Amino acid sequence: MRRVFMLLCLSAAVAAGVSCNPENCECPFQSGEETGPDGEDPGKEPEEEPEDQKKIPVFNIALASYPEGYDWLRDPDYGIIECYIKLLRDGEEVLSFAAGHSYGISAYIGRVHCTGSHVYTDYTISSETIIGKDGKELFRYSGNEMIEEFAADGETCIYTLGIPEDGEGWIFRKNGAIVASSSSGRIISGFRLDGGVPVFACAEYAEYVTGTVPEYYLVRDGEMSAISPGSPQETFYSVMSVNGTVYALSSDPDSGKAYFHEGDDRTELSYSGNGSIVPECLLTDGSSVYALAGVPEYGDDGPAREILWKDGEVLVAFEESFKVLACYPEEDRVLAVGYYGDDWGSQFMFLDGEYLPFPENYGLAAVSAGIMTAGHYCLCLNPFEISMPPLCILDGEIVEIDANGCFLGVGHTWEYVTDADAGHDDSSENV
């Protein structure tokens, strides 16, 4: 099923991999997975570890496997070709189910959600949206919605945040039932489960004599409450709730300043440069909160350097012209994927200050196809030629999967090992 290679000291002469097609990429920066095993909320207090044992992540990787010879990159059958979605764990196939129009299951990367040890799917057919789990339909509801955010809390609660077919507003559902909705609002990035409670933010638009003005709201378990960025001209770029505290990233277009909000406290993000700071998003490892933004160093018309702040303090200043596609911080460690300048087809992995090129003709499958937790990481790379197998990088090892297909996402569960086993560096066991 796989072959293992090492990603150690790759020479600079090795060409970096071609990235995924931008049309198939998700919104950049961080995977949306906010749950642990079977939907366990990582914000909850961890269970006490057995004596002399350590809890380590086990990565569960979702893969689309197409018929031999089918060109899944160009997809001449327009997404209705029958294929199989497989779940791999420890290098073994633990789940396989058919996908295709007749099954009400799509293998499109944006419609597959690998959470914990399960594969959830969403599909629209006629005027209905179908939500499935591990190849079986869970429920369906009236309306053709594009699911923007998805979360599973345990075995019984499925939360979806979707945009209606006409592209206007949003609908938040629990197990298919509408909890809250807006006919014209805009979703703000940062949706997550906080202590098992779904929280996100939105902008609604009010008409005044002076023009249309956005008004911001936090939606916690369906209940909406007004929030303010600090001044009328400021704009929220990202809002999230972590351990009950609301964090936000905002900017003032008049001054070019960006701000990090922690509860009622508001701190200006600063870094040497001569241009307006351009906010991108907030990230979290479940404890600390990170802000990512671009800082033009030679004026607004010049190249920008991307900066990652941790709790309002600079943690990483990426190399000039390095553009971040996905970022997975954990404590003071940072795993990121990006490219230089306009060459999005040559991607690099950034880890703890080092930039390593991906193998030639490979790129990160999607933001949801990367993860770092408990000091271990997994990046799933898709090829740009159907004759090439998908690869994943596991704690520095490249694992080749023998399949005509592509990765769809990665989740994780936990297992206990003895201290001696935990110290044995054999990452390929956690595929």
Side-chain angles (χ1 to χ4, degrees), residues 231-268:
S231 63
Q233 66 270 24
E234 279 181 50
T235 300
F236 275 136
Y237 279 79
S238 187
V239 179
M240 63 171 54
S241 178
V242 180
N243 299 322
T245 300
V246 177
Y247 296 84
L249 178 62
S250 69
S251 76
D252 182 339
D254 294 339
S255 66
K257 295 180 179 180
Y259 298 94
F260 176 76
H261 303 250
E262 181 180 358
D264 295 329
D265 296 330
R266 174 172 167 269
T267 304
E268 181 184 345

Side-chain angles (χ1 to χ4, degrees), residues 90-112:
D90 289 340
E92 300 295 330
E93 180 184 307
V94 296
L95 175 67
S96 178
F97 56 89
H101 180 71
S102 60
Y103 297 97
I105 297 173
S106 173
Y108 172 62
I109 199 166
R111 291 187 174 274
V112 177

Side-chain angles (χ1 to χ4, degrees), residues 11-355:
S11 70
V14 176
V18 175
S19 75
C20 55
N21 186 327
E23 294 180 357
N24 294 332
C25 282
E26 298 177 341
C27 186
F29 312 125
Q30 184 180 1
S31 164
E33 183 183 15
E34 296 290 352
T35 54
D38 296 331
E40 175 189 345
D41 179 6
K44 296 178 181 178
E45 289 296 321
E47 297 179 1
E48 185 175 346
E49 295 179 3
E51 189 175 351
D52 299 326
Q53 289 195 333
K54 183 176 182 179
K55 188 168 69 171
I56 64 171
V58 175
F59 298 121
N60 305 284
I61 301 172
L63 170 80
S65 179
Y66 291 87
E68 185 176 354
Y70 182 72
D71 188 346
W72 56 269
L73 281 167
R74 294 173 178 82
D75 194 18
D77 288 343
Y78 300 102
I80 62 173
I81 182 72
E82 183 176 320
C83 63
Y84 286 88
I85 295 177
K86 301 177 182 292
L87 187 68
L88 310 178
R89 183 185 309 143
D90 289 340
E92 300 295 330
E93 180 184 307
V94 296
L95 175 67
S96 178
F97 56 89
H101 180 71
S102 60
Y103 297 97
I105 297 173
S106 173
Y108 172 62
I109 199 166
R111 291 187 174 274
V112 177
H113 317 275
C114 192
T115 301
S117 60
H118 299 290
V119 180
Y120 295 89
T121 56
D122 67 82
Y123 193 76
T124 53
I125 182 171
S126 186
S127 60
E128 289 185 311
T129 299
I130 303 170
I131 304 298
K133 173 184 174 183
D134 297 339
K136 298 178 181 179
E137 181 179 324
L138 287 177
F139 54 83
R140 65 174 64 197
Y141 52 83
S142 178
N144 190 325
E145 294 177 11
M146 176 60 69
I147 304 301
E148 289 291 301
E149 303 287 354
F150 179 97
D153 184 23
E155 294 288 332
T156 57
C157 291
I158 305 299
Y159 299 103
T160 59
L161 184 56
I163 296 178
E165 186 176 12
D166 62 7
E168 298 293 330
W170 50 264
I171 301 176
F172 175 59
R173 299 174 184 267
K174 177 181 179 180
N175 294 338
I178 297 177
V179 178
S181 65
S182 168
S183 61
S184 60
R186 173 176 58 87
I187 300 167
I188 298 173
S189 71
F191 174 92
R192 70 187 302 270
L193 293 183
D194 186 24
V197 177
V199 186
F200 66 96
C202 66
E204 301 292 328
Y205 296 90
E207 296 290 342
Y208 294 95
V209 176
T210 55
T212 303
V213 177
E215 297 178 342
Y216 299 98
Y217 295 87
L218 187 75
V219 186
R220 185 185 295 273
D221 206 16
E223 296 294 325
M224 299 178 65
S225 58
I227 54 176
S228 172
S231 63
Q233 66 270 24
E234 279 181 50
T235 300
F236 275 136
Y237 279 79
S238 187
V239 179
M240 63 171 54
S241 178
V242 180
N243 299 322
T245 300
V246 177
Y247 296 84
L249 178 62
S250 69
S251 76
D252 182 339
D254 294 339
S255 66
K257 295 180 179 180
Y259 298 94
F260 176 76
H261 303 250
E262 181 180 358
D264 295 329
D265 296 330
R266 174 172 167 269
T267 304
E268 181 184 345
L269 295 177
S270 61
Y271 184 78
S272 59
N274 298 311
S276 301
I277 294 180
V278 181
E280 297 178 11
C281 71
L282 291 178
L283 310 167
T284 184
D285 57 10
S287 177
S288 295
V289 177
Y290 308 77
L292 185 68
V295 181
E297 297 191 272
Y298 309 107
D300 288 341
D301 295 331
R305 181 188 297 272
E306 295 208 68
I307 311 298
L308 185 69
W309 289 264
K310 176 186 178 184
D311 298 326
E313 301 292 331
V314 174
L315 178 62
V316 173
F318 293 96
E319 290 184 353
E320 185 177 322
S321 83
F322 184 78
K323 297 181 180 179
V324 177
L325 285 173
C327 190
Y328 313 94
E330 184 182 42
E331 298 179 354
D332 290 332
R333 301 189 69 197
V334 177
L335 171 68
V337 174
Y339 60 93
Y340 289 92
D342 296 325
D343 190 9
W344 60 264
S346 296
Q347 293 184 15
F348 287 73
M349 177 181 79
F350 171 90
L351 181 63
D352 301 333
E354 292 188 79
Y355 297 81

